[in-house]
């Protein structure tokens, strides 16, 4: 896709603002550090900072125009509230898009599934697929991702997240998906929810934004399957289930692990069709993710064989399974980068991936899992079993929240507990040996990406 994303006149019409003059933009940003030539900079005013302070910096970086709520000498659209303006620009983008929109949510796996789905659709319609960048899945990230969607897009894939009831409802009414997918339900943000059932109800809000004739995609193997189906029924013309269990509409009927280059999977799609493909991403959780992706591609009318090829060629995602070799004294160690985020379910899944990774020795750098509320100590201590099952021989725990796990593992494994990512970065340097495989995972706020970056500098 190419050409102008927005003209100044279009932005003004969408936002109800006043244009200072004519200009065209080819992308949208609200972080001045992401501004490049031709960008529209939206100067959001937040609790801790005001984007208007960075207008000069944005234009030095090449911004073509800005959305502002106060006068500036730079080319601009003047509005009353820049946050509302961004939301209105997002709605205008969604309104002009004539293709198929897919919304993705879930407690675990939504970003990876979104990326895999994009890769499949991009292969089917090269240059005409669009998706949320990074993990822009909240009240500012979703409208930004919508506002960036090219007018010629045939497919749009949008990740939606939440940590309170009602948040997803607002996002899904903005995205208005034709297809709404829930990856899985697991303990996450339990500080804000009384139970997993409450989490399922909050995730089920995504179905309320479905377009008429829309399709809901639900995890068959989830204990909350029936709850999600009940949430979808009033809004979806069709409900499709995916998973591993017999009875799922899209199901992995054969899984051959440990094949060169990945896992070979035979999927059954509906009662009559099967697809054999190689899945490049390791781990049982990715087999389930792949079934969700195939269900969504099929619902969108896409070519399943092309989707299978895309799943075979998909590379590792930074912070979500990317792998690289880091130089250590006498050789190399394998680093598995899962540093972006963590909850109990994703911790167990990635520890299982570490267990299946050939290595002389297995290590894990695990940061605390945040927003778990009163159950935090129990969830952290509960990782002791998966760590033992993974054959972890040395463990570096990061953050105060990991104290219950440190106590549970005392005397059972070589263990170091440090307060923060800076200390972890220093300590891991002394722990790694040639032939090691090290998993790095923790909640994003812990900052373990800095540990990954330090090791990546030793490639």
């Amino acid at each position: 896709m190419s050409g102008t994303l927005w003209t100044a006149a279009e932005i003004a019409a969408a936002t109800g603002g006043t244009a200072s003059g004519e200009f065209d933009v080819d992308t949208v940003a609200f972080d001045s550090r992401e501004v490049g030539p031709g960008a529209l900079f939206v100067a959001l005013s937040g609790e801790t900072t005001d984007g208007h302070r960075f207008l000069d910096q944005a234009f030095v970086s090449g911004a073509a125009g800005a959305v502002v709520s106060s006068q500036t000498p730079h080319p601009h659209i003047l509005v009353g509230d820049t946050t509302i303006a961004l939301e209105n620009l997002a709605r205008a983008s969604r309104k002009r898009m004539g293709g198929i929109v897919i919304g993705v949510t879930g407690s675990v796996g939504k970003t990876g599934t979104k990326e895999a789905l994009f890769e499949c659709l991009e292969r089917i319609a090269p240059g005409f697929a669009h998706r949320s960048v990074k993990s822009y899945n909240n009240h500012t990230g979703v409208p930004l991702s919508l506002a960036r969607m090219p007018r010629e897009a045939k497919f749009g894939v949008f990740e939606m997240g939440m940590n309170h009831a009602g948040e997803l409802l607002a996002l899904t009414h903005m995205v208005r998906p034709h297809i709404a997918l829930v990856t899985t339900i697991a303990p996450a943000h339990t500080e804000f929810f009384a139970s997993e059932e409450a989490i399922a109800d909050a995730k089920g809000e995504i179905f309320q934004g479905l377009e008429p004739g829309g399709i809901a995609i639900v995890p068959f193997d989830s204990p909350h399957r029936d709850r999600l189906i009940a949430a979808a029924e009033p809004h979806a013309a069709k409900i499709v289930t995916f998973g591993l269990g017999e009875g799922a509409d899209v199901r992995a009927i054969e899984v051959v692990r440990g094949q060169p280059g990945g896992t070979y999977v035979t999927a059954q799609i509906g009662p009559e069709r099967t697809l054999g493909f190689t899945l490049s991403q390791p781990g049982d959780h990715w087999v389930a993710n792949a079934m969700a992706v195939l269900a969504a591609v099929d619902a969108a009318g896409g070519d399943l064989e092309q989707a299978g090829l895309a799943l075979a060629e998909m590379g590792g995602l930074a912070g979500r399974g990317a792998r690289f070799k880091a130089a250590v004294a006498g050789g190399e160690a394998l680093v598995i980068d899962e540093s972006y985020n963590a909850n109990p379910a994703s911790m167990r899944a990635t520890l299982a991936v570490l267990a299946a990774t050939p290595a002389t020795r297995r290590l894990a750098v695990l940061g605390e899992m945040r927003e778990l509320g009163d159950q935090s100590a129990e969830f952290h201590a509960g990782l002791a079993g998966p760590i033992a099952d993974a054959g972890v021989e040395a463990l570096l725990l990061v953050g105060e929240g990991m104290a219950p796990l440190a106590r549970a593992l005392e005397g059972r494994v070589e263990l170091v507990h440090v307060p923060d990512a800076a200390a972890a970065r220093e300590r891991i340097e002394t722990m790694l040996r040639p032939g090691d495989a090290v998993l790095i995972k923790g909640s994003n706020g812990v900052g373990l990406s800095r540990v990954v970056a330090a090791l990546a500098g030793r490639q």
Side-chain angles (χ1 to χ4, degrees), residues 43 69 95 101 108 121 126 144 197 258-259 272 282 286 296 362 389 434:
S69 58
K95 184 176 181 179
V101 174
V108 184
L121 297 172
L144 176 70
E197 288 78 10
Q259 299 300 297
E272 298 179 352
W286 261 105
R362 296 183 181 89
D389 293 342

Side-chain angles (χ1 to χ4, degrees), residues 58-380:
F59 280 91
V60 167
S61 298
V67 175
V68 297
S69 58
S70 58
Q71 288 290 348
T72 175
H74 300 294
H76 66 271
I77 308 294
L78 182 64
V79 299
D81 186 305
T82 53
T83 298
I84 293 173
L86 177 60
E87 293 171 354
N88 287 333
L89 190 63
R91 292 186 182 96
S93 178
R94 175 64 185 86
K95 184 176 181 179
R96 75 181 182 181
M97 195 270 197
I100 295 174
V101 174
I102 303 171
V104 180
T105 193
S107 301
V108 184
K110 54 185 176 289
T111 301
T113 298
K114 177 258 299 182
E115 290 293 327
L117 187 50
F118 169 78
E119 293 293 337
C120 292
L121 297 172
E122 176 67 15
R123 193 178 185 99
I124 292 164
F128 289 91
H130 173 75
R131 92 289 207 182
S132 311
V133 296
K134 302 182 181 178
S135 288
Y136 282 178
N137 62 18
N138 64 5
H139 64 286
T140 53
V142 169
L144 176 70
S145 296
L146 277 166
R148 287 178 168 180
M149 180 166 56
R151 64 186 78 217
E152 310 93 346
K154 294 181 180 179
F155 299 104
V157 187
F158 297 94
E159 176 184 341
M160 288 177 267
M162 60 89 207
N163 58 19
H164 289 83
E167 286 183 288
L168 208 57
L169 186 62
L171 298 178
T172 191
H173 280 305
M174 188 179 296
V175 173
R176 291 170 33 223
H178 300 96
I179 301 163
L181 163 63
V182 177
T183 57
T184 190
I185 305 297
H189 310 300
T190 53
E191 180 179 355
F192 309 112
F193 292 96
S195 64
E196 268 194 30
E197 288 78 10
I199 296 172
D201 290 341
K203 296 296 184 183
E205 292 173 8
I206 192 174
F207 303 127
Q208 297 185 44
L210 275 170
E211 288 287 89
I215 298 173
I217 300 177
V218 172
F220 181 84
D221 303 313
S222 171
H224 308 291
R225 174 190 65 207
D226 294 342
R227 199 176 193 95
L228 290 169
I229 289 173
E233 282 176 335
H235 310 284
K238 182 180 180 182
I239 298 173
V240 177
T241 60
F242 70 90
L244 309 181
E246 187 172 352
D249 296 316
V250 179
R251 178 189 172 211
I253 57 176
E254 182 182 23
V255 179
V256 182
R257 296 176 176 82
Q259 299 300 297
T263 300
Y264 187 78
V265 181
T266 302
Q268 182 166 339
I269 300 97
E272 298 179 352
R273 294 172 294 163
T274 60
L275 174 72
F277 65 98
T278 298
L279 176 61
S280 63
Q281 305 299 310
D284 291 349
H285 60 297
W286 261 105
V287 177
N289 289 350
M291 296 305 102
V293 169
L294 293 179
V297 169
D298 190 48
D303 186 325
L304 290 172
E305 291 187 357
Q306 290 292 328
L309 292 173
L311 290 170
E313 296 176 2
M314 184 177 173
L317 304 175
R320 293 178 175 83
R323 297 180 173 212
F324 61 88
K325 294 288 184 69
V328 299
E332 293 180 323
L334 173 68
V335 179
I336 304 173
D337 175 16
E338 286 278 357
S339 61
Y340 181 75
N341 220 336
N343 59 41
S346 64
M347 279 285 199
R348 289 193 298 270
T350 51
L351 283 165
V353 170
L354 177 63
T357 301
T360 303
R361 191 176 63 136
R362 296 183 181 89
L363 291 78
V365 180
L366 303 182
E368 62 187 6
M369 302 176 289
R370 296 183 174 176
E371 296 185 354
L372 294 178
D374 293 342
Q375 296 176 280
S376 179
E378 178 183 350
F379 281 130
H380 282 89

Side-chain angles (χ1 to χ4, degrees), residues 401-424:
M402 277 295 180
L405 179 59
R407 289 192 293 269
L409 289 171
E410 189 174 358
R412 296 168 54 184
V413 65
E414 179 187 338
L415 186 151
V416 178
H417 187 192
V418 297
D420 53 36

